[in-house]
Amino acid sequence: MKKILTLVCVSALGGLLTLGGYKLFVEKEHTQIAKNEKTQLPVYVPTSTSNTLLTNTERPDLITAANKTIDAVVHVKNTQINRRPQTWGDIFSNRQIERKQLAGAGSGVIISPDGHIITNNHVIKGAVEISITLNDNKTYLAELVGTDAKNDIALLKIHTEDILPFVTFGDSDATQIGEWVLAVGNPFNLTSTVTAGIISAKSRDLSGGQSFIQTDAAVNPGNSGGALVNINGELVGINTAISSQTGTYVGYSFALPSNIARKIVEDIMEFGDVQNGILGVTGLALNSEAAEELKVDITEGFYVSGIEEKSGADLAGISEGDIIRKLDNVEINKFSDLSGYLKTKSPNDVVNVEVLRGNNIKNISVTLTNKEDLYVEFMDMQLRDIPLKAKQKYPELQKGVMISQNRNPYFYNKVGLREGYVITAINDIKVESIEDINALKAKYNDEDFFKSLNKLEFLDGSLEKKEILFR
């Protein structure tokens, strides 16, 4: 019995010693570790648990838009005259045989029930015959009503007693980035093709002053001149170009906004050509680098560095150093915003210009000037009279026409004509003002004049007299 009691007491004592050691050493260590863990706060990553799948009622109704559009988009074929020898006898006798040949094809959009069709100028350029095939396979010869090569738009007309399906114009200014759109056309001669995408950017400038809608709807050769429509089936753009190193679609396509296209078409119908209303300002779009150089605090807007004499901006009181922030309700963040909106306007239209002058916002009403009153387009150059300020500053600059834009690659790269140079004579004919250029335009078209060009005299940027002989 004593042995049993002794064993129990020893066991109890061992248990007490073990428990005491645990409390003293092990639990204390664990408690310290727990304290260290509390000093490291947990990291939470924001996560949405909502269902992002659209219901059937929320999905865009692309079927309705396609049905409204597909019958109003046509296949445009460009037939040209091919002149070349057909036999060995033709080669030896240097005979050129004329033969009609299909030169290209694209798309077009019927915009009126009586058969007016809008397409790209490059689709029908050089054509001696333009044929239109409707979605029901009926074919017509089209009349060329007019073109605007600068904006790559052409207006055609087919004559039929049928009332044709057509697409109504939408408001391209109201489109938004992320909005669903359809591109309808005839890529690779695959007629009546519909592709879908979203608007991925607006006011995209591809070639100096242009303003395109950028989409990711697939567009390929043959889509040019086709329709870009919103989910209501309204025309918001004319598909015009792709950005590609291969010549086929790689993810980006570009459409001329419908507001610009509609204005061009209305001008061609009413006047026979495009009437351009301009503010009459020169300058640059702001960014961080330009803002730092100009010592201004904002990085968006159009900085006015010059005012054209007798222009609407000049008469309304816009000043050098003003920063244009808005035209009417359209925000101006870059040059293509400015130029794109003005292309929807006509001479004598009044626009409200919001400018930042110093630290003050001013709203100025400007009556747009007819571009032809200030500039003349000739040989892919934009020419103007020498500004009064330049005449006052430099006695040498009293007669001639100043180059404000040069889009002629030959004159720019080979001859070296730059903006600001002054043309003083052409083929030994003195040039004193744009009236002399208008006289040349009335006598020659650009192609005939270029063939007859043999001598050009001008003043370069250092006012040094230069002479170029072409023969």
Side-chain angles (χ1 to χ4, degrees):
M1 188 67 179
K2 288 183 178 180
K3 289 182 178 181
I4 295 173
L5 290 173
T6 302
L7 182 61
V8 170
C9 290
V10 170
S11 299
L13 180 61
L16 290 172
L17 290 173
T18 302
L19 180 62
Y22 178 83
K23 290 283 187 179
L24 180 63
F25 298 107
V26 178
E27 190 176 68
K28 185 176 180 180
E29 182 181 353
H30 284 185
T31 302
Q32 182 65 39
I33 293 172
K35 287 181 180 179
N36 286 341
E37 286 178 348
K38 287 182 181 178
T39 62
Q40 298 178 358
L41 297 177
V43 177
Y44 294 99
V45 178
T47 305
S48 173
T49 58
S50 62
N51 185 0
T52 58
L53 294 177
L54 295 175
T55 66
N56 286 333
T57 57
E58 292 173 328
R59 290 182 180 135
D61 185 4
L62 304 181
I63 296 174
T64 299
N67 287 337
K68 285 183 176 181
T69 310
I70 198 165
D71 289 329
V73 174
V74 302
H75 200 187
V76 182
K77 295 180 180 179
N78 176 337
T79 299
Q80 298 183 10
I81 297 294
N82 184 15
R83 296 178 177 87
R84 63 181 182 182
Q86 300 294 320
T87 66
W88 285 107
D90 295 336
I91 295 175
F92 291 133
S93 60
N94 199 27
R95 281 198 305 264
Q96 299 289 324
I97 306 300
E98 292 188 355
R99 181 181 177 184
K100 285 187 177 181
Q101 180 175 312
L102 181 65
S107 305
V109 185
I110 303 173
I111 58 172
S112 69
D114 64 347
H116 281 97
I117 297 169
I118 188 171
T119 186
N120 283 140
N121 181 64
H122 75 261
V123 171
I124 55 85
K125 186 176 181 180
V128 296
E129 184 178 282
I130 303 169
S131 65
I132 301 296
T133 303
L134 306 186
N135 197 36
D136 61 6
N137 294 323
K138 292 181 179 178
T139 300
Y140 302 87
L141 290 180
E143 168 195 352
L144 178 60
V145 180
T147 65
D148 178 16
K150 187 173 182 181
N151 290 294
D152 201 7
I153 289 293
L155 180 64
L156 311 176
K157 177 73 166 65
I158 60 175
H159 299 278
T160 175
E161 295 181 357
D162 297 333
I163 297 176
L164 299 174
F166 65 97
V167 180
T168 57
F169 280 94
D171 182 1
S172 55
D173 287 341
T175 57
Q176 300 182 58
I177 295 173
E179 177 180 343
W180 279 96
V181 286
L182 295 181
V184 187
N186 306 282
F188 303 119
N189 288 321
L190 300 172
T191 58
S192 307
T193 295
V194 179
T195 56
I198 62 168
I199 294 176
S200 50
K202 293 180 65 176
S203 299
R204 184 67 79 197
D205 187 354
L206 301 181
S207 55
Q210 291 287 12
S211 182
F212 288 102
I213 295 173
Q214 178 182 316
T215 81
D216 64 357
V219 168
N220 278 294
N223 273 112
S224 291
L228 186 74
V229 299
N230 59 22
I231 61 172
N232 297 320
E234 299 168 333
L235 188 68
V236 295
I238 299 297
N239 296 315
T240 300
I242 59 176
S243 178
S244 172
Q245 295 179 339
T246 64
T248 56
Y249 175 77
V250 293
Y252 305 101
S253 57
F254 303 92
L256 187 75
S258 61
N259 287 3
I260 297 176
R262 182 179 65 243
K263 194 266 181 182
I264 291 169
V265 166
E266 289 173 348
D267 281 357
I268 290 174
M269 287 181 175
E270 185 175 355
F271 304 106
D273 58 11
V274 180
Q275 306 292 297
N276 295 297
I278 63 172
L279 277 177
V281 297
T282 56
L284 72 159
L286 289 174
N287 54 31
S288 295
E289 184 178 346
E292 183 178 354
E293 183 178 342
L294 296 167
K295 294 180 173 55
V296 296
D297 296 329
I298 61 175
T299 57
E300 292 182 322
F302 184 82
Y303 182 87
V304 178
S305 61
I307 307 290
E308 301 289 352
E309 295 167 8
K310 301 179 183 178
S311 68
D314 184 25
L315 299 175
I318 291 179
S319 301
E320 294 180 4
D322 285 349
I323 298 173
I324 298 176
R325 301 303 308 274
K326 287 184 180 180
L327 292 181
D328 294 331
N329 293 319
V330 177
E331 291 188 0
I332 306 301
N333 296 321
K334 49 188 179 293
F335 179 61
S336 55
D337 293 328
L338 180 79
S339 61
Y341 185 71
L342 289 176
K343 285 179 181 178
T344 68
K345 297 297 179 182
S346 299
N348 298 318
D349 282 352
V350 177
V351 297
N352 182 69
V353 183
E354 181 185 291
V355 302
L356 178 65
R357 183 176 295 172
N359 295 320
N360 299 316
I361 295 290
K362 293 185 175 293
N363 288 283
I364 304 172
S365 293
V366 178
T367 301
L368 300 182
T369 309
N370 192 330
K371 185 177 181 180
E372 293 184 359
D373 292 340
L374 299 177
Y375 304 100
V376 60
E377 295 285 338
F378 187 59
M379 300 293 293
D380 286 332
M381 295 188 294
Q382 182 176 279
L383 308 175
R384 55 165 296 179
D385 286 331
I386 300 171
L388 180 60
K389 288 182 179 179
K391 289 183 176 181
Q392 292 173 342
K393 188 174 182 179
Y394 302 104
E396 305 96 320
L397 295 180
Q398 300 306 307
K399 295 179 180 180
V401 292
M402 183 174 287
I403 301 171
S404 57
Q405 287 184 19
N406 183 2
R407 299 180 299 275
N408 186 314
Y410 179 80
F411 283 160
Y412 191 90
N413 297 319
K414 299 294 185 181
V415 180
L417 292 179
R418 298 290 186 267
E419 294 180 4
Y421 286 17
V422 174
I423 297 174
T424 56
I426 301 174
N427 291 352
D428 290 322
I429 300 172
K430 294 296 182 183
V431 175
E432 298 184 357
S433 70
I434 60 172
E435 293 303 319
D436 296 318
I437 300 297
N438 284 326
L440 287 172
K441 287 187 65 174
K443 188 175 181 180
Y444 304 97
N445 61 36
D446 281 358
E447 184 177 352
D448 291 340
F449 182 79
F450 189 77
K451 291 178 181 178
S452 68
L453 184 62
N454 57 62
K455 187 177 179 181
L456 187 68
E457 298 172 48
F458 61 92
L459 300 175
D460 65 11
S462 302
L463 301 183
E464 181 180 349
K465 293 183 180 179
K466 295 287 185 70
E467 182 179 290
I468 299 293
L469 297 177
F470 294 88
R471 294 288 187 274

